Amino acid sequence: SGIGAVTVTSSGNGIDYVNAGPNTPILDNQNNTASGAGAIITGGSNVTVNSFGGYEVVVGSSADINNTGGTVPLAGQTPTGSVVVNEKGLGDVYVMGGTSVTVIASSTSYSGEIEIGNTGSDKTGNSAAGGFTNPTGPIIVADYGANNGSMITVFGGSSAIVAAAGDQVIVGD
């Protein structure tokens, strides 16, 4: 019958790599504030990531986007349910797939990128092949960085609400 749920709580200064089947909820708590700490999540149904790290959170692709760039994810790598990312550190956030997506960058020092869907910046190339990486439900982004140069790009979804402190925002393609 498979795994009921996957919960990872780590304090390592590297990347948490988590993969699960399409019916398995994922919760990843990355509690290290190091510049190399982050999470890469593939698969799963409802995905929640709480990160204090300074590197990146990637949901829906196995690519280490900040290091090697990305590609269109393989079948089964994108989540089938809702995605919530609470970026409490300084890392970039990339979300591909899912239904509803909520990303909250709560640090007033936040200056990273937030990319949701089939954007060119997350290396899916805004291509026809990457179209399935656009979320299908509502998208909410809140960036509490004090105008520190964040770039927020949101493609897909049934609606989008973006609250940002003077950063660059692109919604729709």
Side-chain angles (χ1 to χ4, degrees):
S1 64
I3 297 172
V6 173
T7 300
V8 175
T9 301
S10 72
S11 297
N13 63 358
I15 297 172
D16 295 346
Y17 291 93
V18 182
N19 178 53
N23 299 316
T24 303
I26 298 172
L27 169 61
D28 183 69
N29 297 301
Q30 174 34 282
N31 294 318
N32 194 307
T33 59
S35 61
I40 295 179
I41 311 294
T42 55
S45 56
N46 298 327
V47 174
T48 301
V49 180
N50 299 303
S51 177
F52 287 89
Y55 191 57
E56 68 184 352
V57 172
V58 178
V59 176
S61 174
S62 62
D64 179 352
I65 292 172
N66 284 347
N67 188 37
T68 61
T71 60
V72 174
L74 300 173
Q77 289 187 330
T78 58
T80 59
S82 64
V83 176
V84 175
V85 177
N86 296 300
E87 177 54 68
K88 301 172 184 183
L90 303 177
D92 296 335
V93 176
Y94 305 98
V95 177
M96 286 147 275
T99 54
S100 63
V101 174
T102 301
V103 175
I104 299 171
S106 59
S107 170
T108 57
S109 300
Y110 187 77
S111 62
E113 291 184 25
I114 299 172
E115 305 287 335
I116 298 172
N118 184 31
T119 70
S121 298
D122 69 13
K123 309 303 189 275
T124 59
N126 191 20
S127 66
F132 73 98
T133 65
N134 285 336
T136 58
I139 299 170
I140 299 170
V141 177
D143 176 0
Y144 291 93
N147 195 17
N148 292 319
S150 295
M151 180 172 174
I152 300 167
T153 306
V154 176
F155 287 2
S158 59
S159 62
I161 298 171
V162 178
D167 301 322
Q168 181 179 352
V169 176
I170 300 169
V171 176
D173 72 46

